[in-house]
Amino acid sequence: MNGRYVALGSSMAAGPGIRPSADGAPFRAGRSVRNYPHLVAAALDLELVDVTYSGATTAHVLDERQNGVPPQIEALDGDERLVTVTIGGNDAGYVPLLTVAALPRFTRSLPLLGGRIRDLLDPTARDRALVLVADSLQRVGQAVRERSPRATVLFVDYLTLLPPAGSPAPPLAGVDAALGRRVADTLERLTGEAAAATGCRWVRAAEASRAHHAWSAQPWTTRPGLPLPGRPAPLHPNAAGMRAVADLVLDALR
């Protein structure tokens, strides 16, 4: 398989902290040469255009600049053989809610910061955000299809971060972990629905990684904590996770 491959998405595709970093990528993008787009491109001998960027939302894919970088969809020129999309979690506040849930409880009472934390951990606020994500994901699929009508377009959902219900996920409280699972499950479902509604395909990374959550014996993702140099970002894929997602994408293309 030869041709052009454009990878769109957020940090769950970029791979922040997985060494080495991609040459020429903006520092804040957090792009790794061992992320799943690079692994897929190498396996299929594709020309990779990786515009994944940590912190990206669906708006950054569609029509908003991010830290001076054009909307990701502008990387598409119609000659693509393959496009992958991993997006939506930042719209819903998924990793941010898990990040703040791991902070000491007193932080929820701090001026300014406490209000943001309480909003992220508010189930009603997360549900409102997810309602908007449903429409946004479909708009992403439609826009990619219009720009790249001959490409195979794959929505790749997020690797599982949390253990199943009833299992502890320290330092997260049970109620916060339950909210995280609800957001994750909804994102998974909405990604599949967007793929089906827009003529794209769905790579089910969440389903494949249930037994490889961050608290498992063989994790494909990392637990909450402080970002450390030379290590994958907290609550993000590790190198094994990126390899696993790449294999899922390759299987979908066979």
Side-chain angles (χ1 to χ4, degrees):
M1 184 176 185
N2 299 105
R4 193 167 185 267
Y5 163 28
V6 175
L8 311 174
S10 64
S11 55
M12 292 297 194
I18 301 175
R19 295 290 183 91
S21 298
D23 289 342
F27 175 76
R28 285 190 283 185
R31 232 171 270 154
S32 168
V33 297
R34 296 168 69 195
N35 66 14
Y36 82 75
H38 278 80
L39 297 175
V40 168
L44 298 178
D45 194 25
L46 292 169
E47 175 195 348
L48 175 64
V49 180
D50 184 358
V51 292
T52 60
Y53 206 111
S54 296
T57 64
T58 53
H60 294 127
V61 171
L62 291 169
D63 49 32
E64 288 187 11
R65 300 178 72 87
Q66 184 178 8
N67 300 321
V69 176
Q72 294 182 22
I73 202 163
E74 292 188 10
L76 302 178
D77 65 11
D79 288 335
E80 293 75 32
R81 291 286 304 278
L82 174 65
V83 180
T84 56
V85 184
T86 299
I87 202 70
N90 289 317
D91 298 58
Y94 175 39
V95 169
L97 87 80
L98 297 179
T99 300
V100 300
L103 296 174
R105 197 163 185 86
F106 76 85
T107 58
R108 302 181 191 189
S109 301
L110 294 174
L112 301 178
L113 178 62
R116 174 59 175 154
I117 292 174
R118 291 192 299 274
D119 176 73
L120 283 167
L121 297 176
D122 177 7
T124 302
R126 295 308 97 224
D127 286 345
R128 286 196 299 265
L130 286 164
V131 169
L132 299 176
V133 171
D135 177 67
S136 296
L137 287 172
Q138 294 203 21
R139 288 193 294 114
V140 169
Q142 291 164 356
V144 172
R145 271 265 150 257
E146 289 171 3
R147 284 196 175 230
S148 299
R150 294 188 296 275
T152 297
V153 182
L154 304 177
F155 272 91
V156 184
D157 63 20
Y158 288 14
L159 287 168
T160 296
L161 290 170
L162 293 165
S167 300
L172 305 181
V175 66
D176 297 331
L179 176 59
R181 287 188 198 95
R182 193 168 95 200
V183 171
D185 290 347
T186 306
L187 280 170
E188 180 181 355
R189 175 176 59 80
L190 295 177
T191 300
E193 290 174 358
T198 59
C200 303
R201 292 159 66 184
W202 181 19
V203 177
R204 306 196 63 173
E207 180 180 70
S209 58
R210 305 249 196 259
H212 296 279
H213 59 80
W215 283 261
S216 70
Q218 294 181 308
W220 289 351
T221 51
T222 57
R223 298 187 188 186
L226 294 173
L228 297 174
R231 297 181 63 181
L235 294 166
H236 278 80
N238 58 25
M242 282 297 184
R243 176 73 266 173
V245 176
D247 289 342
L248 290 170
V249 171
L250 292 170
D251 286 345
L253 294 171
R254 289 192 180 104

mmCIF file of all heavy atoms in Angstrom, residues 85 87 133-142 145 153 155 186-202:
data_model
loop_
_atom_site.group_PDB
_atom_site.id
_atom_site.type_symbol
_atom_site.label_atom_id
_atom_site.label_comp_id
_atom_site.label_asym_id
_atom_site.label_seq_id
_atom_site.Cartn_x
_atom_site.Cartn_y
_atom_site.Cartn_z
ATOM 1 N N VAL A 85 -8.584 9.297 12.549
ATOM 2 C CA VAL A 85 -9.118 10.367 13.393
ATOM 3 C C VAL A 85 -9.287 9.844 14.811
ATOM 4 O O VAL A 85 -9.993 8.855 15.036
ATOM 5 C CB VAL A 85 -10.491 10.856 12.879
ATOM 6 C CG1 VAL A 85 -10.978 12.031 13.717
ATOM 7 C CG2 VAL A 85 -10.443 11.215 11.401
ATOM 8 N N ILE A 87 -10.329 11.775 18.210
ATOM 9 C CA ILE A 87 -10.686 13.098 18.724
ATOM 10 C C ILE A 87 -11.969 12.995 19.554
ATOM 11 O O ILE A 87 -12.695 12.010 19.451
ATOM 12 C CB ILE A 87 -10.864 14.101 17.551
ATOM 13 C CG1 ILE A 87 -10.698 15.550 18.013
ATOM 14 C CG2 ILE A 87 -12.164 13.879 16.816
ATOM 15 C CD1 ILE A 87 -9.292 15.941 18.404
ATOM 16 N N VAL A 133 -20.518 16.826 21.711
ATOM 17 C CA VAL A 133 -19.523 15.977 21.059
ATOM 18 C C VAL A 133 -20.157 15.113 19.978
ATOM 19 O O VAL A 133 -19.567 14.884 18.915
ATOM 20 C CB VAL A 133 -18.798 15.090 22.095
ATOM 21 C CG1 VAL A 133 -17.919 14.050 21.406
ATOM 22 C CG2 VAL A 133 -17.938 15.945 23.022
ATOM 23 N N ALA A 134 -21.363 14.627 20.224
ATOM 24 C CA ALA A 134 -22.035 13.768 19.247
ATOM 25 C C ALA A 134 -22.127 14.454 17.887
ATOM 26 O O ALA A 134 -21.792 13.868 16.847
ATOM 27 C CB ALA A 134 -23.430 13.396 19.759
ATOM 28 N N ASP A 135 -22.560 15.698 17.882
ATOM 29 C CA ASP A 135 -22.676 16.453 16.631
ATOM 30 C C ASP A 135 -21.309 16.774 16.057
ATOM 31 O O ASP A 135 -21.088 16.673 14.841
ATOM 32 C CB ASP A 135 -23.470 17.735 16.875
ATOM 33 C CG ASP A 135 -23.559 18.602 15.621
ATOM 34 O OD1 ASP A 135 -24.214 18.165 14.651
ATOM 35 O OD2 ASP A 135 -22.958 19.699 15.608
ATOM 36 N N SER A 136 -20.372 17.135 16.932
ATOM 37 C CA SER A 136 -19.040 17.526 16.463
ATOM 38 C C SER A 136 -18.317 16.376 15.772
ATOM 39 O O SER A 136 -17.652 16.572 14.748
ATOM 40 C CB SER A 136 -18.208 18.041 17.640
ATOM 41 O OG SER A 136 -18.765 19.210 18.186
ATOM 42 N N LEU A 137 -18.412 15.172 16.327
ATOM 43 C CA LEU A 137 -17.758 14.026 15.697
ATOM 44 C C LEU A 137 -18.335 13.744 14.314
ATOM 45 O O LEU A 137 -17.590 13.408 13.381
ATOM 46 C CB LEU A 137 -17.891 12.794 16.593
ATOM 47 C CG LEU A 137 -17.031 12.771 17.851
ATOM 48 C CD1 LEU A 137 -17.408 11.586 18.741
ATOM 49 C CD2 LEU A 137 -15.545 12.714 17.508
ATOM 50 N N GLN A 138 -19.640 13.895 14.178
ATOM 51 C CA GLN A 138 -20.231 13.672 12.863
ATOM 52 C C GLN A 138 -19.798 14.744 11.871
ATOM 53 O O GLN A 138 -19.570 14.458 10.686
ATOM 54 C CB GLN A 138 -21.757 13.599 12.975
ATOM 55 C CG GLN A 138 -22.211 12.386 13.773
ATOM 56 C CD GLN A 138 -23.629 11.958 13.474
ATOM 57 O OE1 GLN A 138 -24.190 12.290 12.428
ATOM 58 N NE2 GLN A 138 -24.211 11.190 14.373
ATOM 59 N N ARG A 139 -19.643 15.979 12.346
ATOM 60 C CA ARG A 139 -19.157 17.032 11.454
ATOM 61 C C ARG A 139 -17.725 16.757 11.017
ATOM 62 O O ARG A 139 -17.350 17.027 9.867
ATOM 63 C CB ARG A 139 -19.273 18.400 12.131
ATOM 64 C CG ARG A 139 -20.720 18.886 12.233
ATOM 65 C CD ARG A 139 -20.818 20.352 12.596
ATOM 66 N NE ARG A 139 -20.329 20.623 13.942
ATOM 67 C CZ ARG A 139 -19.261 21.331 14.234
ATOM 68 N NH1 ARG A 139 -18.513 21.862 13.272
ATOM 69 N NH2 ARG A 139 -18.904 21.527 15.493
ATOM 70 N N VAL A 140 -16.919 16.209 11.909
ATOM 71 C CA VAL A 140 -15.551 15.835 11.536
ATOM 72 C C VAL A 140 -15.586 14.773 10.445
ATOM 73 O O VAL A 140 -14.903 14.888 9.412
ATOM 74 C CB VAL A 140 -14.761 15.329 12.761
ATOM 75 C CG1 VAL A 140 -13.443 14.688 12.326
ATOM 76 C CG2 VAL A 140 -14.465 16.476 13.723
ATOM 77 N N GLY A 141 -16.386 13.731 10.636
ATOM 78 C CA GLY A 141 -16.474 12.677 9.633
ATOM 79 C C GLY A 141 -16.939 13.189 8.283
ATOM 80 O O GLY A 141 -16.376 12.829 7.231
ATOM 81 N N GLN A 142 -17.938 14.043 8.291
ATOM 82 C CA GLN A 142 -18.458 14.607 7.042
ATOM 83 C C GLN A 142 -17.399 15.452 6.339
ATOM 84 O O GLN A 142 -17.215 15.365 5.119
ATOM 85 C CB GLN A 142 -19.696 15.442 7.328
ATOM 86 C CG GLN A 142 -20.906 14.629 7.762
ATOM 87 C CD GLN A 142 -21.986 15.481 8.404
ATOM 88 O OE1 GLN A 142 -21.826 16.691 8.599
ATOM 89 N NE2 GLN A 142 -23.102 14.849 8.761
ATOM 90 N N ARG A 145 -14.633 13.253 4.836
ATOM 91 C CA ARG A 145 -15.153 12.563 3.651
ATOM 92 C C ARG A 145 -15.220 13.495 2.443
ATOM 93 O O ARG A 145 -14.907 13.109 1.319
ATOM 94 C CB ARG A 145 -16.542 12.016 3.948
ATOM 95 C CG ARG A 145 -16.517 10.638 4.524
ATOM 96 C CD ARG A 145 -16.694 9.626 3.385
ATOM 97 N NE ARG A 145 -16.010 8.376 3.702
ATOM 98 C CZ ARG A 145 -14.858 8.008 3.194
ATOM 99 N NH1 ARG A 145 -14.191 8.775 2.369
ATOM 100 N NH2 ARG A 145 -14.336 6.842 3.482
ATOM 101 N N VAL A 153 -11.200 6.123 5.600
ATOM 102 C CA VAL A 153 -11.224 6.983 6.785
ATOM 103 C C VAL A 153 -11.580 6.125 7.995
ATOM 104 O O VAL A 153 -12.630 5.474 8.025
ATOM 105 C CB VAL A 153 -12.235 8.133 6.632
ATOM 106 C CG1 VAL A 153 -12.190 9.033 7.877
ATOM 107 C CG2 VAL A 153 -11.941 8.939 5.380
ATOM 108 N N PHE A 155 -12.112 6.117 12.097
ATOM 109 C CA PHE A 155 -12.215 6.696 13.432
ATOM 110 C C PHE A 155 -11.603 5.690 14.404
ATOM 111 O O PHE A 155 -12.056 4.541 14.478
ATOM 112 C CB PHE A 155 -13.671 6.949 13.815
ATOM 113 C CG PHE A 155 -14.211 8.281 13.401
ATOM 114 C CD1 PHE A 155 -14.841 8.436 12.169
ATOM 115 C CD2 PHE A 155 -14.110 9.373 14.244
ATOM 116 C CE1 PHE A 155 -15.353 9.669 11.794
ATOM 117 C CE2 PHE A 155 -14.619 10.611 13.868
ATOM 118 C CZ PHE A 155 -15.244 10.761 12.648
ATOM 119 N N THR A 186 -19.452 6.651 26.753
ATOM 120 C CA THR A 186 -20.234 7.472 25.841
ATOM 121 C C THR A 186 -19.385 7.914 24.649
ATOM 122 O O THR A 186 -19.852 7.891 23.500
ATOM 123 C CB THR A 186 -20.811 8.699 26.565
ATOM 124 O OG1 THR A 186 -21.545 8.265 27.713
ATOM 125 C CG2 THR A 186 -21.733 9.494 25.655
ATOM 126 N N LEU A 187 -18.144 8.308 24.903
ATOM 127 C CA LEU A 187 -17.247 8.669 23.805
ATOM 128 C C LEU A 187 -17.061 7.504 22.831
ATOM 129 O O LEU A 187 -17.058 7.687 21.612
ATOM 130 C CB LEU A 187 -15.883 9.100 24.354
ATOM 131 C CG LEU A 187 -15.765 10.518 24.896
ATOM 132 C CD1 LEU A 187 -14.424 10.677 25.613
ATOM 133 C CD2 LEU A 187 -15.888 11.544 23.774
ATOM 134 N N GLU A 188 -16.911 6.317 23.380
ATOM 135 C CA GLU A 188 -16.756 5.129 22.535
ATOM 136 C C GLU A 188 -17.982 4.950 21.644
ATOM 137 O O GLU A 188 -17.867 4.760 20.420
ATOM 138 C CB GLU A 188 -16.550 3.906 23.419
ATOM 139 C CG GLU A 188 -16.364 2.607 22.661
ATOM 140 C CD GLU A 188 -16.192 1.415 23.590
ATOM 141 O OE1 GLU A 188 -16.123 1.593 24.823
ATOM 142 O OE2 GLU A 188 -16.149 0.283 23.059
ATOM 143 N N ARG A 189 -19.152 5.029 22.246
ATOM 144 C CA ARG A 189 -20.387 4.855 21.474
ATOM 145 C C ARG A 189 -20.556 5.953 20.422
ATOM 146 O O ARG A 189 -20.907 5.675 19.262
ATOM 147 C CB ARG A 189 -21.587 4.852 22.429
ATOM 148 C CG ARG A 189 -22.944 4.805 21.710
ATOM 149 C CD ARG A 189 -24.086 4.705 22.694
ATOM 150 N NE ARG A 189 -24.150 5.799 23.636
ATOM 151 C CZ ARG A 189 -24.667 6.999 23.372
ATOM 152 N NH1 ARG A 189 -25.148 7.274 22.169
ATOM 153 N NH2 ARG A 189 -24.704 7.931 24.310
ATOM 154 N N LEU A 190 -20.294 7.198 20.809
ATOM 155 C CA LEU A 190 -20.468 8.309 19.871
ATOM 156 C C LEU A 190 -19.482 8.229 18.710
ATOM 157 O O LEU A 190 -19.810 8.614 17.580
ATOM 158 C CB LEU A 190 -20.316 9.641 20.605
ATOM 159 C CG LEU A 190 -21.376 9.967 21.662
ATOM 160 C CD1 LEU A 190 -21.055 11.285 22.349
ATOM 161 C CD2 LEU A 190 -22.771 10.000 21.041
ATOM 162 N N THR A 191 -18.293 7.732 18.973
ATOM 163 C CA THR A 191 -17.316 7.569 17.893
ATOM 164 C C THR A 191 -17.818 6.559 16.877
ATOM 165 O O THR A 191 -17.750 6.776 15.656
ATOM 166 C CB THR A 191 -15.961 7.125 18.459
ATOM 167 O OG1 THR A 191 -15.472 8.120 19.373
ATOM 168 C CG2 THR A 191 -14.934 6.931 17.358
ATOM 169 N N GLY A 192 -18.342 5.443 17.367
ATOM 170 C CA GLY A 192 -18.887 4.440 16.460
ATOM 171 C C GLY A 192 -20.064 4.956 15.672
ATOM 172 O O GLY A 192 -20.193 4.684 14.467
ATOM 173 N N GLU A 193 -20.930 5.718 16.324
ATOM 174 C CA GLU A 193 -22.094 6.276 15.637
ATOM 175 C C GLU A 193 -21.675 7.285 14.572
ATOM 176 O O GLU A 193 -22.260 7.326 13.480
ATOM 177 C CB GLU A 193 -23.035 6.919 16.650
ATOM 178 C CG GLU A 193 -23.742 5.899 17.547
ATOM 179 C CD GLU A 193 -24.563 6.553 18.639
ATOM 180 O OE1 GLU A 193 -24.555 7.811 18.735
ATOM 181 O OE2 GLU A 193 -25.219 5.818 19.408
ATOM 182 N N ALA A 194 -20.663 8.104 14.877
ATOM 183 C CA ALA A 194 -20.190 9.081 13.895
ATOM 184 C C ALA A 194 -19.588 8.386 12.685
ATOM 185 O O ALA A 194 -19.801 8.798 11.533
ATOM 186 C CB ALA A 194 -19.166 10.021 14.539
ATOM 187 N N ALA A 195 -18.821 7.321 12.928
ATOM 188 C CA ALA A 195 -18.233 6.575 11.814
ATOM 189 C C ALA A 195 -19.328 6.004 10.925
ATOM 190 O O ALA A 195 -19.288 6.129 9.688
ATOM 191 C CB ALA A 195 -17.335 5.469 12.350
ATOM 192 N N ALA A 196 -20.332 5.381 11.536
ATOM 193 C CA ALA A 196 -21.414 4.767 10.756
ATOM 194 C C ALA A 196 -22.214 5.795 9.975
ATOM 195 O O ALA A 196 -22.605 5.557 8.825
ATOM 196 C CB ALA A 196 -22.330 3.981 11.682
ATOM 197 N N ALA A 197 -22.438 6.957 10.593
ATOM 198 C CA ALA A 197 -23.280 7.978 9.961
ATOM 199 C C ALA A 197 -22.591 8.689 8.810
ATOM 200 O O ALA A 197 -23.262 9.289 7.966
ATOM 201 C CB ALA A 197 -23.718 9.003 11.002
ATOM 202 N N THR A 198 -21.263 8.634 8.756
ATOM 203 C CA THR A 198 -20.527 9.405 7.753
ATOM 204 C C THR A 198 -19.765 8.536 6.759
ATOM 205 O O THR A 198 -18.936 9.028 6.003
ATOM 206 C CB THR A 198 -19.555 10.382 8.443
ATOM 207 O OG1 THR A 198 -18.637 9.652 9.263
ATOM 208 C CG2 THR A 198 -20.306 11.381 9.300
ATOM 209 N N GLY A 199 -20.044 7.251 6.746
ATOM 210 C CA GLY A 199 -19.408 6.375 5.777
ATOM 211 C C GLY A 199 -17.954 6.085 6.080
ATOM 212 O O GLY A 199 -17.183 5.743 5.176
ATOM 213 N N CYS A 200 -17.578 6.197 7.341
ATOM 214 C CA CYS A 200 -16.212 5.888 7.765
ATOM 215 C C CYS A 200 -16.204 4.532 8.472
ATOM 216 O O CYS A 200 -17.239 3.903 8.662
ATOM 217 C CB CYS A 200 -15.687 6.984 8.698
ATOM 218 S SG CYS A 200 -15.721 8.646 7.987
ATOM 219 N N ARG A 201 -15.040 4.097 8.881
ATOM 220 C CA ARG A 201 -14.913 2.842 9.614
ATOM 221 C C ARG A 201 -14.442 3.121 11.031
ATOM 222 O O ARG A 201 -13.910 4.192 11.315
ATOM 223 C CB ARG A 201 -13.966 1.893 8.869
ATOM 224 C CG ARG A 201 -14.576 1.410 7.557
ATOM 225 C CD ARG A 201 -13.528 0.901 6.576
ATOM 226 N NE ARG A 201 -12.869 -0.291 7.049
ATOM 227 C CZ ARG A 201 -11.860 -0.877 6.398
ATOM 228 N NH1 ARG A 201 -11.411 -0.368 5.250
ATOM 229 N NH2 ARG A 201 -11.296 -1.966 6.881
ATOM 230 N N TRP A 202 -14.639 2.148 11.898
ATOM 231 C CA TRP A 202 -14.407 2.325 13.337
ATOM 232 C C TRP A 202 -13.393 1.296 13.816
ATOM 233 O O TRP A 202 -13.633 0.096 13.717
ATOM 234 C CB TRP A 202 -15.733 2.160 14.056
ATOM 235 C CG TRP A 202 -15.735 2.317 15.547
ATOM 236 C CD1 TRP A 202 -14.797 2.933 16.330
ATOM 237 C CD2 TRP A 202 -16.758 1.871 16.442
ATOM 238 N NE1 TRP A 202 -15.166 2.900 17.648
ATOM 239 C CE2 TRP A 202 -16.360 2.257 17.740
ATOM 240 C CE3 TRP A 202 -17.966 1.200 16.268
ATOM 241 C CZ2 TRP A 202 -17.141 1.961 18.871
ATOM 242 C CZ3 TRP A 202 -18.734 0.915 17.378
ATOM 243 C CH2 TRP A 202 -18.331 1.291 18.664
#
